[in-house]
Amino acid sequence: VVVVLRGDPYSGGAAAAVKAIRERLHEIAPGGLLGGIPAENYDIEQTNARDTKLIVPLVLLVVGLILALGLRALVAPAYLMLTVVASFAATLGLCTFVFSRFGSEGIDFDLVLLSFLFLVALGVDYNIFLMARAREESTGRGTRKGILVALVDTGGVVTGAGLILAGTFATLTLLPLEELVQIGATVAIGVLLDTFVVRALLIPAITYRLG
């Protein structure tokens, strides 16, 4: 049986229609199948959503363990991971707003997972670089003085690396594929936010206050 949807086959409404048609179809014929591009897109989105729920906690767990072993501490890795998650959430929220307001109907289905992997990997690199230096400096200077010295000593390298990475990912916005445009813009904005706000202000401030 051929079914043609009235609306956009790539829209959220099409995904809802696929779900409803399948439910009705299985009531009539439990072994019945529904195919076509809207059904394939719906299946991919559902699979990606399940993968995201599995991969995100695993990544956070592995990264947290690496930070704990590298810094030989428990409190610092905890708030470092919180800053990474907060930075990602802020980036995703900002980009979702921008994409929805300027030319896009929403975000691509795999944007959350891909941007999360990129931003967590890059953010944790900066975390390890800054905090490892702070740990070295704090041995003789104390934690508060050590984090300030580490911030000054690593600031130029982190800023330069952040600008290079942001510029590299920003080049994806020149391509004609909306998926790559969204990924490139999201990672570029996230890296800049991570470089100039999280790494330069938030983490040093938290470390300084906690001592």
PDB file of all heavy atoms in Angstrom, residues 77-95:
ATOM      1  N   PRO A  77      38.021  17.244  39.745  1.00  0.00           N
ATOM      2  CA  PRO A  77      37.388  16.619  38.582  1.00  0.00           C
ATOM      3  C   PRO A  77      35.877  16.788  38.565  1.00  0.00           C
ATOM      4  O   PRO A  77      35.281  16.920  37.490  1.00  0.00           O
ATOM      5  CB  PRO A  77      37.766  15.130  38.727  1.00  0.00           C
ATOM      6  CG  PRO A  77      39.034  15.145  39.495  1.00  0.00           C
ATOM      7  CD  PRO A  77      38.899  16.293  40.454  1.00  0.00           C
ATOM      8  N   ALA A  78      35.253  16.805  39.742  1.00  0.00           N
ATOM      9  CA  ALA A  78      33.793  16.944  39.803  1.00  0.00           C
ATOM     10  C   ALA A  78      33.354  18.293  39.242  1.00  0.00           C
ATOM     11  O   ALA A  78      32.470  18.372  38.383  1.00  0.00           O
ATOM     12  CB  ALA A  78      33.308  16.779  41.247  1.00  0.00           C
ATOM     13  N   TYR A  79      33.973  19.399  39.701  1.00  0.00           N
ATOM     14  CA  TYR A  79      33.533  20.707  39.195  1.00  0.00           C
ATOM     15  C   TYR A  79      34.061  20.981  37.792  1.00  0.00           C
ATOM     16  O   TYR A  79      33.458  21.749  37.037  1.00  0.00           O
ATOM     17  CB  TYR A  79      33.838  21.843  40.168  1.00  0.00           C
ATOM     18  CG  TYR A  79      35.277  22.206  40.393  1.00  0.00           C
ATOM     19  CD1 TYR A  79      36.022  22.873  39.425  1.00  0.00           C
ATOM     20  CD2 TYR A  79      35.885  21.947  41.621  1.00  0.00           C
ATOM     21  CE1 TYR A  79      37.334  23.234  39.652  1.00  0.00           C
ATOM     22  CE2 TYR A  79      37.199  22.309  41.857  1.00  0.00           C
ATOM     23  CZ  TYR A  79      37.923  22.946  40.875  1.00  0.00           C
ATOM     24  OH  TYR A  79      39.226  23.310  41.101  1.00  0.00           O
ATOM     25  N   LEU A  80      35.164  20.347  37.418  1.00  0.00           N
ATOM     26  CA  LEU A  80      35.618  20.483  36.032  1.00  0.00           C
ATOM     27  C   LEU A  80      34.623  19.845  35.077  1.00  0.00           C
ATOM     28  O   LEU A  80      34.323  20.398  34.014  1.00  0.00           O
ATOM     29  CB  LEU A  80      36.995  19.838  35.864  1.00  0.00           C
ATOM     30  CG  LEU A  80      38.170  20.549  36.548  1.00  0.00           C
ATOM     31  CD1 LEU A  80      39.442  19.744  36.380  1.00  0.00           C
ATOM     32  CD2 LEU A  80      38.350  21.958  36.007  1.00  0.00           C
ATOM     33  N   MET A  81      34.098  18.683  35.440  1.00  0.00           N
ATOM     34  CA  MET A  81      33.100  18.027  34.590  1.00  0.00           C
ATOM     35  C   MET A  81      31.815  18.853  34.538  1.00  0.00           C
ATOM     36  O   MET A  81      31.161  18.942  33.490  1.00  0.00           O
ATOM     37  CB  MET A  81      32.797  16.625  35.118  1.00  0.00           C
ATOM     38  CG  MET A  81      33.955  15.646  34.983  1.00  0.00           C
ATOM     39  SD  MET A  81      34.548  15.508  33.290  1.00  0.00           S
ATOM     40  CE  MET A  81      33.066  14.941  32.475  1.00  0.00           C
ATOM     41  N   LEU A  82      31.438  19.460  35.650  1.00  0.00           N
ATOM     42  CA  LEU A  82      30.246  20.299  35.654  1.00  0.00           C
ATOM     43  C   LEU A  82      30.405  21.498  34.729  1.00  0.00           C
ATOM     44  O   LEU A  82      29.463  21.886  34.036  1.00  0.00           O
ATOM     45  CB  LEU A  82      29.940  20.767  37.085  1.00  0.00           C
ATOM     46  CG  LEU A  82      29.375  19.716  38.041  1.00  0.00           C
ATOM     47  CD1 LEU A  82      29.225  20.294  39.438  1.00  0.00           C
ATOM     48  CD2 LEU A  82      28.031  19.192  37.537  1.00  0.00           C
ATOM     49  N   THR A  83      31.597  22.073  34.702  1.00  0.00           N
ATOM     50  CA  THR A  83      31.810  23.218  33.805  1.00  0.00           C
ATOM     51  C   THR A  83      31.768  22.790  32.341  1.00  0.00           C
ATOM     52  O   THR A  83      31.283  23.533  31.487  1.00  0.00           O
ATOM     53  CB  THR A  83      33.162  23.896  34.091  1.00  0.00           C
ATOM     54  OG1 THR A  83      34.231  22.960  33.895  1.00  0.00           O
ATOM     55  CG2 THR A  83      33.213  24.436  35.503  1.00  0.00           C
ATOM     56  N   VAL A  84      32.267  21.597  32.046  1.00  0.00           N
ATOM     57  CA  VAL A  84      32.216  21.082  30.669  1.00  0.00           C
ATOM     58  C   VAL A  84      30.770  20.889  30.231  1.00  0.00           C
ATOM     59  O   VAL A  84      30.371  21.288  29.129  1.00  0.00           O
ATOM     60  CB  VAL A  84      33.004  19.759  30.556  1.00  0.00           C
ATOM     61  CG1 VAL A  84      32.733  19.084  29.222  1.00  0.00           C
ATOM     62  CG2 VAL A  84      34.490  20.014  30.703  1.00  0.00           C
ATOM     63  N   VAL A  85      29.959  20.284  31.093  1.00  0.00           N
ATOM     64  CA  VAL A  85      28.548  20.050  30.773  1.00  0.00           C
ATOM     65  C   VAL A  85      27.807  21.378  30.646  1.00  0.00           C
ATOM     66  O   VAL A  85      26.988  21.569  29.740  1.00  0.00           O
ATOM     67  CB  VAL A  85      27.894  19.162  31.851  1.00  0.00           C
ATOM     68  CG1 VAL A  85      26.390  19.050  31.615  1.00  0.00           C
ATOM     69  CG2 VAL A  85      28.526  17.770  31.834  1.00  0.00           C
ATOM     70  N   ALA A  86      28.083  22.318  31.559  1.00  0.00           N
ATOM     71  CA  ALA A  86      27.426  23.623  31.502  1.00  0.00           C
ATOM     72  C   ALA A  86      27.799  24.366  30.226  1.00  0.00           C
ATOM     73  O   ALA A  86      26.944  25.005  29.588  1.00  0.00           O
ATOM     74  CB  ALA A  86      27.798  24.448  32.731  1.00  0.00           C
ATOM     75  N   SER A  87      29.060  24.299  29.835  1.00  0.00           N
ATOM     76  CA  SER A  87      29.512  24.954  28.603  1.00  0.00           C
ATOM     77  C   SER A  87      28.822  24.359  27.387  1.00  0.00           C
ATOM     78  O   SER A  87      28.374  25.081  26.484  1.00  0.00           O
ATOM     79  CB  SER A  87      31.026  24.819  28.474  1.00  0.00           C
ATOM     80  OG  SER A  87      31.477  25.327  27.238  1.00  0.00           O
ATOM     81  N   PHE A  88      28.711  23.030  27.358  1.00  0.00           N
ATOM     82  CA  PHE A  88      28.030  22.373  26.246  1.00  0.00           C
ATOM     83  C   PHE A  88      26.554  22.757  26.198  1.00  0.00           C
ATOM     84  O   PHE A  88      26.006  23.045  25.122  1.00  0.00           O
ATOM     85  CB  PHE A  88      28.163  20.854  26.368  1.00  0.00           C
ATOM     86  CG  PHE A  88      27.263  20.090  25.451  1.00  0.00           C
ATOM     87  CD1 PHE A  88      27.513  20.043  24.091  1.00  0.00           C
ATOM     88  CD2 PHE A  88      26.139  19.442  25.943  1.00  0.00           C
ATOM     89  CE1 PHE A  88      26.674  19.347  23.228  1.00  0.00           C
ATOM     90  CE2 PHE A  88      25.294  18.746  25.096  1.00  0.00           C
ATOM     91  CZ  PHE A  88      25.561  18.695  23.736  1.00  0.00           C
ATOM     92  N   ALA A  89      25.896  22.757  27.356  1.00  0.00           N
ATOM     93  CA  ALA A  89      24.471  23.099  27.403  1.00  0.00           C
ATOM     94  C   ALA A  89      24.233  24.533  26.932  1.00  0.00           C
ATOM     95  O   ALA A  89      23.289  24.814  26.181  1.00  0.00           O
ATOM     96  CB  ALA A  89      23.930  22.911  28.820  1.00  0.00           C
ATOM     97  N   ALA A  90      25.099  25.452  27.368  1.00  0.00           N
ATOM     98  CA  ALA A  90      24.963  26.848  26.945  1.00  0.00           C
ATOM     99  C   ALA A  90      25.169  26.984  25.438  1.00  0.00           C
ATOM    100  O   ALA A  90      24.431  27.709  24.757  1.00  0.00           O
ATOM    101  CB  ALA A  90      25.975  27.711  27.696  1.00  0.00           C
ATOM    102  N   THR A  91      26.158  26.269  24.917  1.00  0.00           N
ATOM    103  CA  THR A  91      26.435  26.326  23.476  1.00  0.00           C
ATOM    104  C   THR A  91      25.266  25.775  22.677  1.00  0.00           C
ATOM    105  O   THR A  91      24.829  26.382  21.686  1.00  0.00           O
ATOM    106  CB  THR A  91      27.710  25.521  23.153  1.00  0.00           C
ATOM    107  OG1 THR A  91      28.804  26.057  23.887  1.00  0.00           O
ATOM    108  CG2 THR A  91      28.012  25.580  21.673  1.00  0.00           C
ATOM    109  N   LEU A  92      24.757  24.624  23.098  1.00  0.00           N
ATOM    110  CA  LEU A  92      23.649  24.004  22.374  1.00  0.00           C
ATOM    111  C   LEU A  92      22.400  24.873  22.426  1.00  0.00           C
ATOM    112  O   LEU A  92      21.686  25.019  21.427  1.00  0.00           O
ATOM    113  CB  LEU A  92      23.356  22.623  22.957  1.00  0.00           C
ATOM    114  CG  LEU A  92      22.307  21.791  22.215  1.00  0.00           C
ATOM    115  CD1 LEU A  92      22.771  21.473  20.801  1.00  0.00           C
ATOM    116  CD2 LEU A  92      22.008  20.502  22.970  1.00  0.00           C
ATOM    117  N   GLY A  93      22.135  25.464  23.586  1.00  0.00           N
ATOM    118  CA  GLY A  93      20.970  26.338  23.702  1.00  0.00           C
ATOM    119  C   GLY A  93      21.077  27.558  22.807  1.00  0.00           C
ATOM    120  O   GLY A  93      20.118  27.924  22.112  1.00  0.00           O
ATOM    121  N   LEU A  94      22.255  28.186  22.798  1.00  0.00           N
ATOM    122  CA  LEU A  94      22.469  29.365  21.965  1.00  0.00           C
ATOM    123  C   LEU A  94      22.336  29.014  20.482  1.00  0.00           C
ATOM    124  O   LEU A  94      21.675  29.728  19.715  1.00  0.00           O
ATOM    125  CB  LEU A  94      23.849  29.952  22.250  1.00  0.00           C
ATOM    126  CG  LEU A  94      24.295  31.122  21.367  1.00  0.00           C
ATOM    127  CD1 LEU A  94      23.353  32.307  21.542  1.00  0.00           C
ATOM    128  CD2 LEU A  94      25.729  31.530  21.704  1.00  0.00           C
ATOM    129  N   CYS A  95      22.967  27.913  20.071  1.00  0.00           N
ATOM    130  CA  CYS A  95      22.937  27.532  18.651  1.00  0.00           C
ATOM    131  C   CYS A  95      21.541  27.097  18.216  1.00  0.00           C
ATOM    132  O   CYS A  95      21.128  27.381  17.089  1.00  0.00           O
ATOM    133  CB  CYS A  95      23.950  26.422  18.390  1.00  0.00           C
ATOM    134  SG  CYS A  95      25.664  26.972  18.552  1.00  0.00           S
TER     135      CYS A  95
END
